[in-house]
Amino acid sequence: MNTLANDTFLRALRRQPTDYTPVWLMRQAGRYLPEYNATRKRAGHFLALCKSPELACEVTLQPLERYPLDAAILFSDILTVPDAMGLGLYFAEGEGPKFERPVRDEAAVKNLAVPDPSAELRYVTDAVRTIRAALGGRVPLIGFSGSPWTLACYMVEGGGSGDFRQVKSMLYRRPDLMSRMLDVNADAVAAYLNAQLAAGAQALMIFDSWGGVLADGAYQQFSLAPMRRVLAQLERRDDEPVIVFTKGGGLWLEDIAAIGCDAVGVDWTVNLGRARALIGDRCAIQGNLDPMVLMAGADQIRAETMKTLDAFGASAPGVGHVFNLGHGISQFTPPDSVAVLVETVHAYSRSLRQREGSMSLL
């Protein structure tokens, strides 16, 4: 395992003792940073930014230059895999991602195939290598993918959706087609994440952004089982930890913890103390401040951050916590608010551990 100047994030995921609670932010390289917007403008458009390893490296490092974050995350997009399947990804101004060729019938599903990460997705693995070299062992690098179900939502809907009518109609009318698509997606995600590991990713995260729109039962079959299939195929050379995050997945924390991941990400609707009680010492927990807290003043940000740390509770052997937002950071977040958050997480969690150490001596 390569030496890191700061391995606190990895130790927390492995449920090893840490001096403080590590913190990183979902979407930490994004539009709330003026330097990111400048680089994106220079790239010309979002996909060009994603597909340039040098520019992807540049924006990945930008938040680390501003804040003492404990991990970097690869700058990319969750739709790289279906794009590599030939569905024609593009970004409509003000509308988000779209696919020219949605997958809505039997023929389209049968034509799906696992893309070769060394060919169609080479720009991503090149970015991982470039970022790892630029980091120089400063903090770990997280690789990621969308979950098989989340990718299927975009592939069938042809973009974002408010009601998921197309993908849920396929799920209920033709569960055989949905299962076939999810199998292909799971194998594609596994191959993609293995390529990121081989290129140098030191941890992985699976973003199940739309698992929470499923009914109980359907979630276990169409979201959780495909993620288990992904995890079973991962080739972790250095025991790289894997985080699984289902937005809206608070009902299924124990189910998620049982699929073989190292950490369960939780959104802001979940009480961390309750999550810890349910998961026990099976997995670390990542989360979970409401991103909108960062729209408040500094005093309120500090108070809510401390409340989140208090909710998780005391550190203990075999327990791990990584602080994060309950979802991606908003583009409207004041950059100074992030500085307050990161400083508070580090300072307050250190004070909690010192207090615990003093109590143990009594």
Side-chain angles (χ1 to χ4, degrees), residues 207-242:
F207 285 89
D208 186 32
S209 304
W210 300 123
V213 307
L214 289 167
D216 186 53
Y219 172 76
Q220 286 83 348
Q221 181 178 353
F222 295 104
S223 182
L224 202 63
M227 288 193 288
R228 184 185 289 111
R229 180 173 173 135
V230 171
L231 289 164
Q233 296 180 63
L234 293 182
E235 299 166 359
R236 297 191 256 180
R237 296 158 180 79
D238 287 326
D239 195 30
E240 294 91 347
V242 182

PDB file of all heavy atoms in Angstrom, residues 207-242:
ATOM      1  N   PHE A 207     -22.758   5.580  -6.290  1.00  0.00           N
ATOM      2  CA  PHE A 207     -23.832   6.553  -6.090  1.00  0.00           C
ATOM      3  C   PHE A 207     -25.149   5.962  -6.581  1.00  0.00           C
ATOM      4  O   PHE A 207     -25.391   5.884  -7.789  1.00  0.00           O
ATOM      5  CB  PHE A 207     -23.536   7.846  -6.857  1.00  0.00           C
ATOM      6  CG  PHE A 207     -22.476   8.698  -6.228  1.00  0.00           C
ATOM      7  CD1 PHE A 207     -21.140   8.522  -6.563  1.00  0.00           C
ATOM      8  CD2 PHE A 207     -22.800   9.689  -5.309  1.00  0.00           C
ATOM      9  CE1 PHE A 207     -20.147   9.309  -5.987  1.00  0.00           C
ATOM     10  CE2 PHE A 207     -21.822  10.486  -4.735  1.00  0.00           C
ATOM     11  CZ  PHE A 207     -20.488  10.294  -5.072  1.00  0.00           C
ATOM     12  N   ASP A 208     -25.975   5.551  -5.644  1.00  0.00           N
ATOM     13  CA  ASP A 208     -27.306   5.043  -5.973  1.00  0.00           C
ATOM     14  C   ASP A 208     -28.298   6.188  -5.794  1.00  0.00           C
ATOM     15  O   ASP A 208     -29.126   6.198  -4.884  1.00  0.00           O
ATOM     16  CB  ASP A 208     -27.633   3.860  -5.059  1.00  0.00           C
ATOM     17  CG  ASP A 208     -28.924   3.159  -5.417  1.00  0.00           C
ATOM     18  OD1 ASP A 208     -29.265   3.134  -6.614  1.00  0.00           O
ATOM     19  OD2 ASP A 208     -29.589   2.643  -4.502  1.00  0.00           O
ATOM     20  N   SER A 209     -28.201   7.152  -6.677  1.00  0.00           N
ATOM     21  CA  SER A 209     -28.932   8.403  -6.507  1.00  0.00           C
ATOM     22  C   SER A 209     -30.439   8.220  -6.524  1.00  0.00           C
ATOM     23  O   SER A 209     -31.164   8.995  -5.892  1.00  0.00           O
ATOM     24  CB  SER A 209     -28.535   9.394  -7.609  1.00  0.00           C
ATOM     25  OG  SER A 209     -27.136   9.608  -7.609  1.00  0.00           O
ATOM     26  N   TRP A 210     -30.923   7.209  -7.257  1.00  0.00           N
ATOM     27  CA  TRP A 210     -32.372   7.063  -7.413  1.00  0.00           C
ATOM     28  C   TRP A 210     -32.916   5.782  -6.803  1.00  0.00           C
ATOM     29  O   TRP A 210     -34.078   5.432  -7.042  1.00  0.00           O
ATOM     30  CB  TRP A 210     -32.745   7.145  -8.901  1.00  0.00           C
ATOM     31  CG  TRP A 210     -32.335   8.446  -9.511  1.00  0.00           C
ATOM     32  CD1 TRP A 210     -31.527   8.624 -10.596  1.00  0.00           C
ATOM     33  CD2 TRP A 210     -32.683   9.765  -9.059  1.00  0.00           C
ATOM     34  NE1 TRP A 210     -31.345   9.965 -10.852  1.00  0.00           N
ATOM     35  CE2 TRP A 210     -32.051  10.697  -9.914  1.00  0.00           C
ATOM     36  CE3 TRP A 210     -33.466  10.256  -8.013  1.00  0.00           C
ATOM     37  CZ2 TRP A 210     -32.169  12.068  -9.762  1.00  0.00           C
ATOM     38  CZ3 TRP A 210     -33.579  11.625  -7.847  1.00  0.00           C
ATOM     39  CH2 TRP A 210     -32.940  12.505  -8.727  1.00  0.00           C
ATOM     40  N   GLY A 211     -32.129   5.088  -5.969  1.00  0.00           N
ATOM     41  CA  GLY A 211     -32.646   3.903  -5.298  1.00  0.00           C
ATOM     42  C   GLY A 211     -33.837   4.213  -4.407  1.00  0.00           C
ATOM     43  O   GLY A 211     -34.744   3.396  -4.245  1.00  0.00           O
ATOM     44  N   GLY A 212     -33.845   5.404  -3.839  1.00  0.00           N
ATOM     45  CA  GLY A 212     -34.900   5.792  -2.914  1.00  0.00           C
ATOM     46  C   GLY A 212     -36.253   6.010  -3.552  1.00  0.00           C
ATOM     47  O   GLY A 212     -37.245   6.186  -2.822  1.00  0.00           O
ATOM     48  N   VAL A 213     -36.344   5.991  -4.883  1.00  0.00           N
ATOM     49  CA  VAL A 213     -37.660   6.152  -5.522  1.00  0.00           C
ATOM     50  C   VAL A 213     -38.380   4.817  -5.647  1.00  0.00           C
ATOM     51  O   VAL A 213     -39.547   4.778  -6.058  1.00  0.00           O
ATOM     52  CB  VAL A 213     -37.540   6.813  -6.918  1.00  0.00           C
ATOM     53  CG1 VAL A 213     -36.771   8.110  -6.832  1.00  0.00           C
ATOM     54  CG2 VAL A 213     -36.921   5.871  -7.946  1.00  0.00           C
ATOM     55  N   LEU A 214     -37.706   3.728  -5.282  1.00  0.00           N
ATOM     56  CA  LEU A 214     -38.297   2.400  -5.420  1.00  0.00           C
ATOM     57  C   LEU A 214     -39.107   2.011  -4.185  1.00  0.00           C
ATOM     58  O   LEU A 214     -38.819   2.457  -3.073  1.00  0.00           O
ATOM     59  CB  LEU A 214     -37.204   1.362  -5.650  1.00  0.00           C
ATOM     60  CG  LEU A 214     -36.519   1.407  -7.025  1.00  0.00           C
ATOM     61  CD1 LEU A 214     -35.265   0.553  -7.022  1.00  0.00           C
ATOM     62  CD2 LEU A 214     -37.484   0.946  -8.115  1.00  0.00           C
ATOM     63  N   ALA A 215     -40.079   1.148  -4.409  1.00  0.00           N
ATOM     64  CA  ALA A 215     -40.851   0.589  -3.306  1.00  0.00           C
ATOM     65  C   ALA A 215     -40.009  -0.443  -2.557  1.00  0.00           C
ATOM     66  O   ALA A 215     -39.078  -1.029  -3.122  1.00  0.00           O
ATOM     67  CB  ALA A 215     -42.123  -0.066  -3.840  1.00  0.00           C
ATOM     68  N   ASP A 216     -40.363  -0.658  -1.288  1.00  0.00           N
ATOM     69  CA  ASP A 216     -39.713  -1.724  -0.552  1.00  0.00           C
ATOM     70  C   ASP A 216     -39.975  -3.043  -1.273  1.00  0.00           C
ATOM     71  O   ASP A 216     -41.072  -3.306  -1.756  1.00  0.00           O
ATOM     72  CB  ASP A 216     -40.268  -1.787   0.874  1.00  0.00           C
ATOM     73  CG  ASP A 216     -39.530  -2.783   1.743  1.00  0.00           C
ATOM     74  OD1 ASP A 216     -38.296  -2.687   1.825  1.00  0.00           O
ATOM     75  OD2 ASP A 216     -40.196  -3.670   2.316  1.00  0.00           O
ATOM     76  N   GLY A 217     -38.975  -3.854  -1.373  1.00  0.00           N
ATOM     77  CA  GLY A 217     -39.069  -5.078  -2.168  1.00  0.00           C
ATOM     78  C   GLY A 217     -38.472  -4.849  -3.541  1.00  0.00           C
ATOM     79  O   GLY A 217     -37.554  -5.564  -3.959  1.00  0.00           O
ATOM     80  N   ALA A 218     -38.983  -3.850  -4.249  1.00  0.00           N
ATOM     81  CA  ALA A 218     -38.395  -3.489  -5.537  1.00  0.00           C
ATOM     82  C   ALA A 218     -36.975  -2.960  -5.336  1.00  0.00           C
ATOM     83  O   ALA A 218     -36.078  -3.235  -6.145  1.00  0.00           O
ATOM     84  CB  ALA A 218     -39.253  -2.450  -6.243  1.00  0.00           C
ATOM     85  N   TYR A 219     -36.763  -2.219  -4.263  1.00  0.00           N
ATOM     86  CA  TYR A 219     -35.406  -1.713  -3.988  1.00  0.00           C
ATOM     87  C   TYR A 219     -34.422  -2.875  -3.838  1.00  0.00           C
ATOM     88  O   TYR A 219     -33.339  -2.870  -4.433  1.00  0.00           O
ATOM     89  CB  TYR A 219     -35.394  -0.849  -2.732  1.00  0.00           C
ATOM     90  CG  TYR A 219     -33.987  -0.477  -2.310  1.00  0.00           C
ATOM     91  CD1 TYR A 219     -33.273   0.499  -2.996  1.00  0.00           C
ATOM     92  CD2 TYR A 219     -33.360  -1.141  -1.250  1.00  0.00           C
ATOM     93  CE1 TYR A 219     -31.967   0.815  -2.640  1.00  0.00           C
ATOM     94  CE2 TYR A 219     -32.059  -0.825  -0.888  1.00  0.00           C
ATOM     95  CZ  TYR A 219     -31.361   0.151  -1.578  1.00  0.00           C
ATOM     96  OH  TYR A 219     -30.064   0.456  -1.239  1.00  0.00           O
ATOM     97  N   GLN A 220     -34.802  -3.862  -3.036  1.00  0.00           N
ATOM     98  CA  GLN A 220     -33.886  -4.976  -2.807  1.00  0.00           C
ATOM     99  C   GLN A 220     -33.592  -5.743  -4.103  1.00  0.00           C
ATOM    100  O   GLN A 220     -32.450  -6.176  -4.329  1.00  0.00           O
ATOM    101  CB  GLN A 220     -34.475  -5.932  -1.759  1.00  0.00           C
ATOM    102  CG  GLN A 220     -34.437  -5.407  -0.327  1.00  0.00           C
ATOM    103  CD  GLN A 220     -35.598  -4.486   0.020  1.00  0.00           C
ATOM    104  OE1 GLN A 220     -36.342  -4.042  -0.865  1.00  0.00           O
ATOM    105  NE2 GLN A 220     -35.771  -4.193   1.299  1.00  0.00           N
ATOM    106  N   GLN A 221     -34.606  -5.882  -4.957  1.00  0.00           N
ATOM    107  CA  GLN A 221     -34.436  -6.662  -6.184  1.00  0.00           C
ATOM    108  C   GLN A 221     -33.718  -5.891  -7.287  1.00  0.00           C
ATOM    109  O   GLN A 221     -32.828  -6.441  -7.952  1.00  0.00           O
ATOM    110  CB  GLN A 221     -35.805  -7.129  -6.699  1.00  0.00           C
ATOM    111  CG  GLN A 221     -35.725  -7.964  -7.975  1.00  0.00           C
ATOM    112  CD  GLN A 221     -37.088  -8.451  -8.448  1.00  0.00           C
ATOM    113  OE1 GLN A 221     -38.100  -8.272  -7.754  1.00  0.00           O
ATOM    114  NE2 GLN A 221     -37.121  -9.073  -9.608  1.00  0.00           N
ATOM    115  N   PHE A 222     -34.099  -4.634  -7.472  1.00  0.00           N
ATOM    116  CA  PHE A 222     -33.633  -3.919  -8.657  1.00  0.00           C
ATOM    117  C   PHE A 222     -32.507  -2.914  -8.383  1.00  0.00           C
ATOM    118  O   PHE A 222     -31.891  -2.419  -9.322  1.00  0.00           O
ATOM    119  CB  PHE A 222     -34.802  -3.215  -9.332  1.00  0.00           C
ATOM    120  CG  PHE A 222     -35.824  -4.171  -9.882  1.00  0.00           C
ATOM    121  CD1 PHE A 222     -37.038  -4.365  -9.231  1.00  0.00           C
ATOM    122  CD2 PHE A 222     -35.563  -4.894 -11.027  1.00  0.00           C
ATOM    123  CE1 PHE A 222     -37.978  -5.258  -9.727  1.00  0.00           C
ATOM    124  CE2 PHE A 222     -36.494  -5.788 -11.534  1.00  0.00           C
ATOM    125  CZ  PHE A 222     -37.712  -5.985 -10.886  1.00  0.00           C
ATOM    126  N   SER A 223     -32.237  -2.602  -7.138  1.00  0.00           N
ATOM    127  CA  SER A 223     -31.128  -1.702  -6.828  1.00  0.00           C
ATOM    128  C   SER A 223     -30.057  -2.399  -6.005  1.00  0.00           C
ATOM    129  O   SER A 223     -28.887  -2.405  -6.363  1.00  0.00           O
ATOM    130  CB  SER A 223     -31.635  -0.460  -6.086  1.00  0.00           C
ATOM    131  OG  SER A 223     -30.570   0.421  -5.822  1.00  0.00           O
ATOM    132  N   LEU A 224     -30.468  -3.013  -4.904  1.00  0.00           N
ATOM    133  CA  LEU A 224     -29.498  -3.611  -3.990  1.00  0.00           C
ATOM    134  C   LEU A 224     -28.814  -4.838  -4.592  1.00  0.00           C
ATOM    135  O   LEU A 224     -27.583  -4.976  -4.515  1.00  0.00           O
ATOM    136  CB  LEU A 224     -30.188  -3.974  -2.681  1.00  0.00           C
ATOM    137  CG  LEU A 224     -29.280  -4.111  -1.458  1.00  0.00           C
ATOM    138  CD1 LEU A 224     -28.604  -2.788  -1.139  1.00  0.00           C
ATOM    139  CD2 LEU A 224     -30.084  -4.588  -0.255  1.00  0.00           C
ATOM    140  N   ALA A 225     -29.578  -5.738  -5.179  1.00  0.00           N
ATOM    141  CA  ALA A 225     -28.987  -6.953  -5.744  1.00  0.00           C
ATOM    142  C   ALA A 225     -27.974  -6.645  -6.854  1.00  0.00           C
ATOM    143  O   ALA A 225     -26.885  -7.243  -6.880  1.00  0.00           O
ATOM    144  CB  ALA A 225     -30.080  -7.890  -6.254  1.00  0.00           C
ATOM    145  N   PRO A 226     -28.258  -5.710  -7.768  1.00  0.00           N
ATOM    146  CA  PRO A 226     -27.226  -5.363  -8.749  1.00  0.00           C
ATOM    147  C   PRO A 226     -25.967  -4.762  -8.126  1.00  0.00           C
ATOM    148  O   PRO A 226     -24.851  -5.006  -8.605  1.00  0.00           O
ATOM    149  CB  PRO A 226     -27.941  -4.350  -9.660  1.00  0.00           C
ATOM    150  CG  PRO A 226     -29.387  -4.684  -9.538  1.00  0.00           C
ATOM    151  CD  PRO A 226     -29.568  -5.106  -8.113  1.00  0.00           C
ATOM    152  N   MET A 227     -26.121  -3.979  -7.051  1.00  0.00           N
ATOM    153  CA  MET A 227     -24.922  -3.447  -6.391  1.00  0.00           C
ATOM    154  C   MET A 227     -24.129  -4.575  -5.732  1.00  0.00           C
ATOM    155  O   MET A 227     -22.892  -4.548  -5.728  1.00  0.00           O
ATOM    156  CB  MET A 227     -25.304  -2.369  -5.380  1.00  0.00           C
ATOM    157  CG  MET A 227     -25.756  -1.070  -6.024  1.00  0.00           C
ATOM    158  SD  MET A 227     -25.852   0.328  -4.891  1.00  0.00           S
ATOM    159  CE  MET A 227     -27.310  -0.089  -3.916  1.00  0.00           C
ATOM    160  N   ARG A 228     -24.822  -5.561  -5.180  1.00  0.00           N
ATOM    161  CA  ARG A 228     -24.126  -6.726  -4.628  1.00  0.00           C
ATOM    162  C   ARG A 228     -23.345  -7.436  -5.744  1.00  0.00           C
ATOM    163  O   ARG A 228     -22.214  -7.897  -5.532  1.00  0.00           O
ATOM    164  CB  ARG A 228     -25.113  -7.683  -3.979  1.00  0.00           C
ATOM    165  CG  ARG A 228     -24.436  -8.864  -3.296  1.00  0.00           C
ATOM    166  CD  ARG A 228     -25.436  -9.870  -2.757  1.00  0.00           C
ATOM    167  NE  ARG A 228     -26.155  -9.355  -1.598  1.00  0.00           N
ATOM    168  CZ  ARG A 228     -27.438  -9.041  -1.584  1.00  0.00           C
ATOM    169  NH1 ARG A 228     -28.157  -9.159  -2.703  1.00  0.00           N
ATOM    170  NH2 ARG A 228     -28.025  -8.608  -0.501  1.00  0.00           N
ATOM    171  N   ARG A 229     -23.925  -7.523  -6.917  1.00  0.00           N
ATOM    172  CA  ARG A 229     -23.250  -8.146  -8.062  1.00  0.00           C
ATOM    173  C   ARG A 229     -21.979  -7.372  -8.418  1.00  0.00           C
ATOM    174  O   ARG A 229     -20.954  -7.966  -8.766  1.00  0.00           O
ATOM    175  CB  ARG A 229     -24.218  -8.203  -9.252  1.00  0.00           C
ATOM    176  CG  ARG A 229     -23.648  -8.833 -10.511  1.00  0.00           C
ATOM    177  CD  ARG A 229     -24.730  -8.998 -11.559  1.00  0.00           C
ATOM    178  NE  ARG A 229     -24.228  -9.455 -12.841  1.00  0.00           N
ATOM    179  CZ  ARG A 229     -24.775 -10.415 -13.574  1.00  0.00           C
ATOM    180  NH1 ARG A 229     -25.853 -11.040 -13.134  1.00  0.00           N
ATOM    181  NH2 ARG A 229     -24.261 -10.759 -14.748  1.00  0.00           N
ATOM    182  N   VAL A 230     -22.047  -6.050  -8.342  1.00  0.00           N
ATOM    183  CA  VAL A 230     -20.854  -5.223  -8.595  1.00  0.00           C
ATOM    184  C   VAL A 230     -19.774  -5.527  -7.565  1.00  0.00           C
ATOM    185  O   VAL A 230     -18.608  -5.797  -7.915  1.00  0.00           O
ATOM    186  CB  VAL A 230     -21.213  -3.716  -8.555  1.00  0.00           C
ATOM    187  CG1 VAL A 230     -19.937  -2.875  -8.595  1.00  0.00           C
ATOM    188  CG2 VAL A 230     -22.126  -3.344  -9.704  1.00  0.00           C
ATOM    189  N   LEU A 231     -20.140  -5.479  -6.293  1.00  0.00           N
ATOM    190  CA  LEU A 231     -19.163  -5.680  -5.224  1.00  0.00           C
ATOM    191  C   LEU A 231     -18.490  -7.040  -5.319  1.00  0.00           C
ATOM    192  O   LEU A 231     -17.291  -7.172  -5.032  1.00  0.00           O
ATOM    193  CB  LEU A 231     -19.844  -5.518  -3.869  1.00  0.00           C
ATOM    194  CG  LEU A 231     -20.237  -4.076  -3.513  1.00  0.00           C
ATOM    195  CD1 LEU A 231     -21.230  -4.066  -2.358  1.00  0.00           C
ATOM    196  CD2 LEU A 231     -19.022  -3.253  -3.168  1.00  0.00           C
ATOM    197  N   ALA A 232     -19.234  -8.056  -5.732  1.00  0.00           N
ATOM    198  CA  ALA A 232     -18.676  -9.405  -5.825  1.00  0.00           C
ATOM    199  C   ALA A 232     -17.594  -9.506  -6.897  1.00  0.00           C
ATOM    200  O   ALA A 232     -16.752 -10.414  -6.848  1.00  0.00           O
ATOM    201  CB  ALA A 232     -19.789 -10.407  -6.120  1.00  0.00           C
ATOM    202  N   GLN A 233     -17.586  -8.580  -7.849  1.00  0.00           N
ATOM    203  CA  GLN A 233     -16.626  -8.636  -8.949  1.00  0.00           C
ATOM    204  C   GLN A 233     -15.418  -7.719  -8.771  1.00  0.00           C
ATOM    205  O   GLN A 233     -14.509  -7.730  -9.603  1.00  0.00           O
ATOM    206  CB  GLN A 233     -17.327  -8.270 -10.263  1.00  0.00           C
ATOM    207  CG  GLN A 233     -18.420  -9.230 -10.679  1.00  0.00           C
ATOM    208  CD  GLN A 233     -19.059  -8.803 -11.991  1.00  0.00           C
ATOM    209  OE1 GLN A 233     -18.394  -8.758 -13.037  1.00  0.00           O
ATOM    210  NE2 GLN A 233     -20.338  -8.481 -11.949  1.00  0.00           N
ATOM    211  N   LEU A 234     -15.398  -6.932  -7.714  1.00  0.00           N
ATOM    212  CA  LEU A 234     -14.310  -5.968  -7.564  1.00  0.00           C
ATOM    213  C   LEU A 234     -12.997  -6.664  -7.228  1.00  0.00           C
ATOM    214  O   LEU A 234     -12.948  -7.597  -6.430  1.00  0.00           O
ATOM    215  CB  LEU A 234     -14.656  -4.943  -6.486  1.00  0.00           C
ATOM    216  CG  LEU A 234     -15.819  -3.996  -6.815  1.00  0.00           C
ATOM    217  CD1 LEU A 234     -16.022  -3.006  -5.675  1.00  0.00           C
ATOM    218  CD2 LEU A 234     -15.586  -3.267  -8.134  1.00  0.00           C
ATOM    219  N   GLU A 235     -11.928  -6.172  -7.835  1.00  0.00           N
ATOM    220  CA  GLU A 235     -10.573  -6.706  -7.638  1.00  0.00           C
ATOM    221  C   GLU A 235      -9.780  -5.697  -6.823  1.00  0.00           C
ATOM    222  O   GLU A 235      -9.103  -4.825  -7.369  1.00  0.00           O
ATOM    223  CB  GLU A 235      -9.924  -6.970  -8.998  1.00  0.00           C
ATOM    224  CG  GLU A 235     -10.694  -7.992  -9.829  1.00  0.00           C
ATOM    225  CD  GLU A 235     -10.271  -8.015 -11.288  1.00  0.00           C
ATOM    226  OE1 GLU A 235      -9.383  -7.204 -11.663  1.00  0.00           O
ATOM    227  OE2 GLU A 235     -10.826  -8.820 -12.057  1.00  0.00           O
ATOM    228  N   ARG A 236      -9.874  -5.817  -5.509  1.00  0.00           N
ATOM    229  CA  ARG A 236      -9.269  -4.840  -4.607  1.00  0.00           C
ATOM    230  C   ARG A 236      -7.887  -5.312  -4.183  1.00  0.00           C
ATOM    231  O   ARG A 236      -7.731  -6.131  -3.287  1.00  0.00           O
ATOM    232  CB  ARG A 236     -10.185  -4.611  -3.405  1.00  0.00           C
ATOM    233  CG  ARG A 236     -11.525  -4.024  -3.812  1.00  0.00           C
ATOM    234  CD  ARG A 236     -12.307  -3.567  -2.610  1.00  0.00           C
ATOM    235  NE  ARG A 236     -13.373  -4.499  -2.279  1.00  0.00           N
ATOM    236  CZ  ARG A 236     -14.203  -4.334  -1.258  1.00  0.00           C
ATOM    237  NH1 ARG A 236     -14.071  -3.305  -0.451  1.00  0.00           N
ATOM    238  NH2 ARG A 236     -15.143  -5.216  -1.013  1.00  0.00           N
ATOM    239  N   ARG A 237      -6.885  -4.758  -4.821  1.00  0.00           N
ATOM    240  CA  ARG A 237      -5.506  -5.197  -4.599  1.00  0.00           C
ATOM    241  C   ARG A 237      -4.990  -4.821  -3.221  1.00  0.00           C
ATOM    242  O   ARG A 237      -4.242  -5.561  -2.603  1.00  0.00           O
ATOM    243  CB  ARG A 237      -4.603  -4.602  -5.684  1.00  0.00           C
ATOM    244  CG  ARG A 237      -4.944  -5.086  -7.084  1.00  0.00           C
ATOM    245  CD  ARG A 237      -4.435  -4.129  -8.155  1.00  0.00           C
ATOM    246  NE  ARG A 237      -4.767  -4.584  -9.496  1.00  0.00           N
ATOM    247  CZ  ARG A 237      -5.960  -4.447 -10.068  1.00  0.00           C
ATOM    248  NH1 ARG A 237      -6.954  -3.879  -9.388  1.00  0.00           N
ATOM    249  NH2 ARG A 237      -6.195  -4.878 -11.287  1.00  0.00           N
ATOM    250  N   ASP A 238      -5.330  -3.639  -2.750  1.00  0.00           N
ATOM    251  CA  ASP A 238      -4.878  -3.156  -1.457  1.00  0.00           C
ATOM    252  C   ASP A 238      -6.040  -3.012  -0.477  1.00  0.00           C
ATOM    253  O   ASP A 238      -6.037  -2.131   0.374  1.00  0.00           O
ATOM    254  CB  ASP A 238      -4.167  -1.797  -1.610  1.00  0.00           C
ATOM    255  CG  ASP A 238      -2.797  -1.943  -2.238  1.00  0.00           C
ATOM    256  OD1 ASP A 238      -2.147  -2.969  -1.979  1.00  0.00           O
ATOM    257  OD2 ASP A 238      -2.382  -1.040  -2.982  1.00  0.00           O
ATOM    258  N   ASP A 239      -7.042  -3.847  -0.633  1.00  0.00           N
ATOM    259  CA  ASP A 239      -8.209  -3.800   0.245  1.00  0.00           C
ATOM    260  C   ASP A 239      -8.867  -2.422   0.234  1.00  0.00           C
ATOM    261  O   ASP A 239      -9.261  -1.891   1.268  1.00  0.00           O
ATOM    262  CB  ASP A 239      -7.807  -4.193   1.674  1.00  0.00           C
ATOM    263  CG  ASP A 239      -9.012  -4.510   2.555  1.00  0.00           C
ATOM    264  OD1 ASP A 239     -10.029  -4.972   2.014  1.00  0.00           O
ATOM    265  OD2 ASP A 239      -8.943  -4.260   3.773  1.00  0.00           O
ATOM    266  N   GLU A 240      -8.956  -1.825  -0.953  1.00  0.00           N
ATOM    267  CA  GLU A 240      -9.542  -0.495  -1.080  1.00  0.00           C
ATOM    268  C   GLU A 240     -10.998  -0.520  -0.613  1.00  0.00           C
ATOM    269  O   GLU A 240     -11.792  -1.345  -1.081  1.00  0.00           O
ATOM    270  CB  GLU A 240      -9.469  -0.006  -2.531  1.00  0.00           C
ATOM    271  CG  GLU A 240      -8.061   0.224  -3.042  1.00  0.00           C
ATOM    272  CD  GLU A 240      -7.440  -1.000  -3.706  1.00  0.00           C
ATOM    273  OE1 GLU A 240      -8.011  -2.107  -3.551  1.00  0.00           O
ATOM    274  OE2 GLU A 240      -6.403  -0.859  -4.375  1.00  0.00           O
ATOM    275  N   PRO A 241     -11.375   0.380   0.304  1.00  0.00           N
ATOM    276  CA  PRO A 241     -12.740   0.379   0.826  1.00  0.00           C
ATOM    277  C   PRO A 241     -13.759   0.910  -0.184  1.00  0.00           C
ATOM    278  O   PRO A 241     -13.428   1.728  -1.050  1.00  0.00           O
ATOM    279  CB  PRO A 241     -12.654   1.286   2.055  1.00  0.00           C
ATOM    280  CG  PRO A 241     -11.449   2.126   1.847  1.00  0.00           C
ATOM    281  CD  PRO A 241     -10.508   1.347   0.991  1.00  0.00           C
ATOM    282  N   VAL A 242     -14.993   0.445  -0.043  1.00  0.00           N
ATOM    283  CA  VAL A 242     -16.079   0.832  -0.944  1.00  0.00           C
ATOM    284  C   VAL A 242     -17.229   1.403  -0.119  1.00  0.00           C
ATOM    285  O   VAL A 242     -17.685   0.794   0.851  1.00  0.00           O
ATOM    286  CB  VAL A 242     -16.587  -0.366  -1.768  1.00  0.00           C
ATOM    287  CG1 VAL A 242     -17.696   0.079  -2.727  1.00  0.00           C
ATOM    288  CG2 VAL A 242     -15.445  -1.011  -2.544  1.00  0.00           C
TER     289      VAL A 242
END
